[in-house]
């Protein structure tokens, strides 16, 4: 009976971790593809230049692959150290995610102020040598969200030291349209536009977060149950 239960747990754990590992492979693949094909698309932040979508996906994909591989090998070999290591790593990540969410809501106002200040600082690097990624990122954001500047289109006046905005701020794009009448520019702040977009998709984001949490909880239950069964079987045959 114990062996049959252990066998069912092992197959379930292997299947779960195989899906986990494949998901990590997919995320890593997308991150590498973005890095290769969209290498010039970097971050909007001046203080965190490596915090790009591609780098984040590569990091997350690699972590998921390592944890999935650890759990899969631990299940196949019925290795208690590997199963315990899988459980501890997954539990640590789960707690870090909860802590991050709590800190975000507690310090939301401070995060807002810091983000706006950092983004405005990044505007000063727009169009400068060695900052092609940041320049492209701002052009894409302003074009897609139909906005201009961080908190106002006048943010760009300080960058150019003139009444001028990038051409990506124009209602109808054309070369040097940023020098035209302000009536031909987008005036909505990009920071608020992105926040509005996130609020509009809040349900989808929460569903994704709950699915992620459920997957991690299942992984924790599977690994700890199998670990306990392995201890019982070893004790039984001792």
């Amino acid at each position: 009976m114990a062996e049959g239960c252990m066998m069912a747990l092992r197959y379930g754990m292997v299947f779960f971790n195989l899906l986990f590992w494949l998901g990590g492979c997919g995320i890593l693949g997308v991150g590498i593809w973005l890095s290769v094909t969209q290498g010039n698309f970097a971050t909007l932040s001046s203080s965190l230049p490596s915090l790009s979508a591609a780098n984040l996906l590569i990091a997350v994909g690699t972590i998921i692959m390592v944890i999935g591989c650890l759990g899969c090998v631990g299940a196949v070999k019925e290795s208690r150290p590997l199963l315990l290591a899988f459980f501890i790593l997954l539990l640590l990540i789960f707690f870090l995610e909860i802590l991050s969410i709590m800190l975000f809501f507690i310090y939301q106002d401070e995060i807002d102020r810091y983000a706006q200040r950092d983004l405005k600082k990044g505007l000063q690097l727009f169009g400068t040598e060695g900052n092609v990624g940041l320049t492209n990122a701002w052009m894409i954001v302003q074009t897609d969200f139909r906005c201009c500047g961080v908190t106002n289109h006048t943010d760009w006046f300080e960058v150019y030291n003139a009444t001028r905005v990038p051409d990506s701020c124009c209602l109808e794009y054309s070369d040097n349209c940023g020098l035209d009448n302000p009536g031909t520019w987008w005036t909505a702040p990009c920071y608020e536009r992105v926040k509005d977009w996130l609020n509009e998709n809040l349900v989808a984001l929460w569903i994704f977060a709950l699915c992620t949490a459920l997957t991690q909880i299942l992984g924790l239950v599977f690994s700890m149950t199998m670990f306990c069964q392995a201890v019982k079987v070893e004790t039984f045959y001792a």
Side-chain angles (χ1 to χ4, degrees):
M1 180 69 179
E3 282 190 22
C5 183
M6 192 66 179
M7 188 70 71
L9 279 171
R10 179 166 60 178
Y11 284 130
M13 185 75 175
V14 169
F15 178 73
F16 172 83
N17 281 285
L18 185 60
L19 291 178
F20 206 63
W21 183 81
L22 288 173
C25 287
I27 294 172
L28 178 63
V30 172
I32 293 172
W33 174 78
L34 277 176
S35 181
V36 172
T37 60
Q38 308 290 331
N40 289 332
F41 187 95
T43 176
L44 300 176
S45 172
S46 60
S47 59
L48 298 170
S50 298
L51 190 64
S52 64
N55 289 343
L56 282 174
L57 289 174
I58 290 172
V60 170
T62 301
I63 292 170
I64 291 175
M65 281 182 62
V66 170
I67 293 175
C69 185
L70 193 67
C72 199
V73 173
V76 171
K77 292 184 174 292
E78 297 181 14
S79 170
R80 287 184 298 166
L82 289 179
L83 288 169
L84 188 60
F86 173 84
F87 177 84
I88 292 172
L89 282 174
L90 201 57
L91 185 64
L92 181 63
I93 291 172
F94 185 70
F95 280 141
L96 284 174
E97 289 170 348
I98 293 175
L99 181 62
S100 298
I101 292 172
M102 289 174 62
L103 289 174
F104 174 79
F105 283 109
I106 293 172
Y107 296 104
Q108 191 168 5
D109 292 337
E110 289 83 351
I111 292 171
D112 271 344
R113 286 193 293 270
Y114 173 80
Q116 290 180 39
R117 187 168 61 250
D118 189 55
L119 289 170
K120 285 184 178 181
K121 185 179 176 182
L123 293 183
Q124 301 294 330
L125 302 176
F126 184 87
T128 58
E129 187 177 353
N131 290 291
V132 177
L134 183 141
T135 301
N136 288 345
W138 266 113
M139 290 175 68
I140 291 170
V141 167
Q142 291 184 145
T143 301
D144 290 353
F145 285 93
R146 299 182 176 185
C147 58
C148 192
V150 179
T151 56
N152 197 291
H153 68 283
T154 57
D155 293 337
W156 290 108
F157 296 175
E158 298 176 15
V159 177
Y160 290 109
N161 290 319
T163 307
R164 180 187 176 184
V165 297
D167 294 342
S168 54
C169 280
C170 298
L171 300 175
E172 293 184 11
Y173 180 86
S174 62
D175 289 337
N176 297 318
C177 62
L179 294 169
D180 295 339
N181 189 293
T184 63
W185 306 334
W186 301 115
T187 56
C190 289
Y191 192 81
E192 292 301 323
R193 275 297 178 95
V194 173
K195 282 186 67 176
D196 289 343
W197 180 83
L198 289 173
N199 287 329
E200 289 170 5
N201 293 276
L202 203 57
V203 174
L205 291 172
W206 275 114
I207 290 173
F208 175 78
L210 288 173
C211 288
T212 301
L214 181 61
T215 302
Q216 291 172 332
I217 291 170
L218 285 174
L220 291 170
V221 171
F222 268 126
S223 59
M224 184 48 65
T225 305
M226 192 170 183
F227 175 82
C228 292
Q229 283 296 326
V231 172
K232 286 181 180 179
V233 169
E234 187 172 318
T235 304
F236 180 76
Y237 286 105

